[in-house]
Amino acid sequence: MTKDTDLNSLIIDAIRDRKGRNITLVDLDGVDGASAGAFIIAEGSSPTQVSAIADRLRDRLLDDARLKPYNSDGRQGSEWIVLDYGDVWIHIFLPEARTRYNLEELWSDAKITNYPDLD
């Protein structure tokens, strides 16, 4: 397992800790113009859950990997929160916002991996 794979697994596990759904890894390595090496995208069913997932991610990445986000945005409405960890950006959406912004389609030339929901 590589460092990136370990980090991605930690992120996916943290999202699942708060019952995040529809988790997708968009591998942007080798994609021209990409702002990161990967996006991990997931959904929460309410603004409260979106915030809880983002909080859990911050806690787990700090505790388990000693990582703090370089930046974050979206707390005000909690329909889309993005956490910037440098090479990995984590996007937590409400379903309607995810459909509207459609990052998977925007980066369709990337390798996309969908992870099954656990429930």
Side-chain angles (χ1 to χ4, degrees), residues 11-12 14-16 18-24 39-58 73-75 77-83 89-95 97-98 101 103:
I11 291 167
I12 291 164
I15 292 167
R16 287 176 167 164
R18 293 296 177 261
K19 309 295 186 214
R21 302 181 54 79
N22 298 323
I23 301 169
T24 301
F39 288 166
I40 296 179
I41 305 167
E43 294 176 13
S45 60
S46 68
T48 301
Q49 186 184 22
V50 169
S51 291
I53 293 168
D55 291 344
R56 182 63 178 151
L57 282 160
R58 284 176 186 265
D73 196 16
R75 285 283 179 185
S78 294
E79 79 169 25
W80 176 13
I81 295 177
V82 60
L83 302 169
W89 290 16
I90 309 161
H91 300 267
I92 311 299
F93 286 100
L94 287 176
R98 184 174 184 171
Y101 293 105
L103 294 181

Side-chain angles (χ1 to χ4, degrees), residues 24-27 103-105 107-114:
T24 301
L25 170 65
V26 180
D27 183 349
L103 294 181
E104 292 93 337
E105 179 64 28
W107 295 100
S108 61
D109 49 344
K111 179 182 176 198
I112 296 177
T113 306
N114 295 304

